[in-house]
Amino acid sequence: MTSDNPKIARLQHRQSYTRKWQLDLMQTCTKRPGFCCYAMWCGYCASYGLRKQALHGDLSRYLCCNGMCPCSGRMGERKCPGFCLCMEVSCCFAQSVATTRWMIQDELQVETTKCDNCIIGTMIFLQYLSCICHILACFFDELHEVAQFVDCLADVAWCSVCACMQTQHKAELDQRDANPHAVPPPLPGMQAPGVQMIPMGGHPPPPGAYPQQPGAYPPPPGAYPPPPPGYGAPYPGGYAPPPPGAYPPPQAYPYPPPPGAQPGMYR
């Protein structure tokens, strides 16, 4: 069942992807150790370069978080896309990595394996667990050391998994650039590669980017039955006379009293 929310519909549509990543998260450290170390120590620079590569080097197509946040299209991306991308990767690093990942998946129809989902889910779970432990440590002094340990564990998982994710993105984008003719066509119901969802207040989408949904206003010609006879010639005021016999004949006013009614009961 497809949701009416476009964001949820896109997430549901990603379940139909069948292509695999060039590298699994468990293979990134051994297959691309150089870029993995670079993404770990310079994550912001790696995220900036991967987003630019995902856009085929054309920052004029850049949109903050690819239109997935309320601020998208309102941050002056069209005037200075490079600076806005720097602000995105600096202030919203996690969202920038996730956005690049979704862009690659939508363009190349790549699915995430269950193992990769488990690794990413564990990283997110440790972040939430660290936050909960720090809150509990405010009320229980004996939990301070536990909170520090969980926080350290969550940071290690965060840095390592994010570096592996960006290395996975790099391998996929390099494969796409080396084989441009191997890019699969977009699936029915998904936008074409490079067409981004523009929120309200931003630039309008290009013509034909979004197909007209059935039942949209105005209705297509012939959707309504023809009018009854008598509605063809409008009156000077713009109205047409009703067809003969459409309304009962008017009765005189006041209505006659019913039989046996006393005088004065009806006026």
Side-chain angles (χ1 to χ4, degrees), residues 94-193:
Q95 184 66 21
S96 69
V97 175
T99 299
T100 303
R101 186 178 188 85
W102 293 330
M103 291 175 63
I104 297 173
Q105 287 186 274
D106 290 340
E107 180 179 359
L108 303 178
Q109 301 173 21
V110 182
E111 67 171 350
T112 302
T113 62
K114 294 182 179 180
C115 181
D116 290 355
N117 282 330
C118 182
I119 295 174
I120 297 173
T122 302
M123 175 193 68
I124 298 174
F125 168 76
L126 289 175
Q127 294 292 324
Y128 281 105
L129 182 61
S130 175
C131 181
I132 294 174
C133 290
H134 277 288
I135 294 176
L136 293 177
C138 297
F139 303 96
F140 305 98
D141 295 337
E142 56 272 13
L143 293 180
H144 279 289
E145 294 184 359
V146 176
Q148 293 294 332
F149 173 77
V150 176
D151 189 31
C152 182
L153 185 62
D155 289 342
V156 171
W158 170 265
C159 294
S160 58
V161 174
C162 276
C164 293
M165 288 175 61
Q166 299 209 77
T167 306
Q168 191 180 51
H169 302 166
K170 178 63 174 177
E172 195 70 29
L173 290 174
D174 288 346
Q175 178 68 18
R176 181 203 66 179
D177 296 341
N179 301 276
H181 299 290
V183 177
L187 294 176
M190 292 297 294
Q191 298 177 6

Side-chain angles (χ1 to χ4, degrees), residues 2-213:
T2 304
S3 174
D4 295 334
N5 191 317
K7 297 181 180 180
I8 299 178
R10 290 168 68 91
L11 292 175
Q12 293 176 348
H13 202 83
R14 291 191 181 105
Q15 299 177 0
S16 61
Y17 297 160
T18 56
R19 295 186 69 251
K20 306 295 183 182
W21 293 94
Q22 297 295 322
L23 295 178
D24 293 335
L25 287 179
M26 299 294 293
Q27 299 176 341
T28 53
C29 296
T30 57
K31 299 292 185 179
R32 304 287 292 268
F35 190 87
C36 190
C37 293
Y38 167 70
M40 179 176 293
W41 299 108
C42 302
Y44 297 149
C45 298
S47 181
Y48 182 96
L50 290 174
R51 178 66 63 80
K52 185 176 180 179
Q53 186 177 359
L55 293 171
H56 300 270
D58 185 9
L59 286 182
S60 63
R61 301 162 56 191
Y62 167 74
L63 190 64
C64 180
C65 297
N66 199 32
M68 299 179 184
C69 291
C71 61
S72 301
R74 299 178 173 87
M75 307 302 294
E77 298 95 328
R78 302 296 179 180
K79 297 180 180 179
C80 191
F83 175 76
C84 291
L85 180 56
C86 288
M87 295 300 297
E88 178 188 334
V89 300
S90 301
C91 302
C92 306
F93 174 71
Q95 184 66 21
S96 69
V97 175
T99 299
T100 303
R101 186 178 188 85
W102 293 330
M103 291 175 63
I104 297 173
Q105 287 186 274
D106 290 340
E107 180 179 359
L108 303 178
Q109 301 173 21
V110 182
E111 67 171 350
T112 302
T113 62
K114 294 182 179 180
C115 181
D116 290 355
N117 282 330
C118 182
I119 295 174
I120 297 173
T122 302
M123 175 193 68
I124 298 174
F125 168 76
L126 289 175
Q127 294 292 324
Y128 281 105
L129 182 61
S130 175
C131 181
I132 294 174
C133 290
H134 277 288
I135 294 176
L136 293 177
C138 297
F139 303 96
F140 305 98
D141 295 337
E142 56 272 13
L143 293 180
H144 279 289
E145 294 184 359
V146 176
Q148 293 294 332
F149 173 77
V150 176
D151 189 31
C152 182
L153 185 62
D155 289 342
V156 171
W158 170 265
C159 294
S160 58
V161 174
C162 276
C164 293
M165 288 175 61
Q166 299 209 77
T167 306
Q168 191 180 51
H169 302 166
K170 178 63 174 177
E172 195 70 29
L173 290 174
D174 288 346
Q175 178 68 18
R176 181 203 66 179
D177 296 341
N179 301 276
H181 299 290
V183 177
L187 294 176
M190 292 297 294
Q191 298 177 6
V195 178
Q196 298 171 329
M197 180 177 58
I198 309 298
M200 184 179 298
H203 294 268
Y210 303 97
Q212 186 177 6
Q213 300 296 330

Side-chain angles (χ1 to χ4, degrees), residues 250-263:
Q251 298 181 355
Y253 184 85
Y255 297 101
Q262 299 180 1

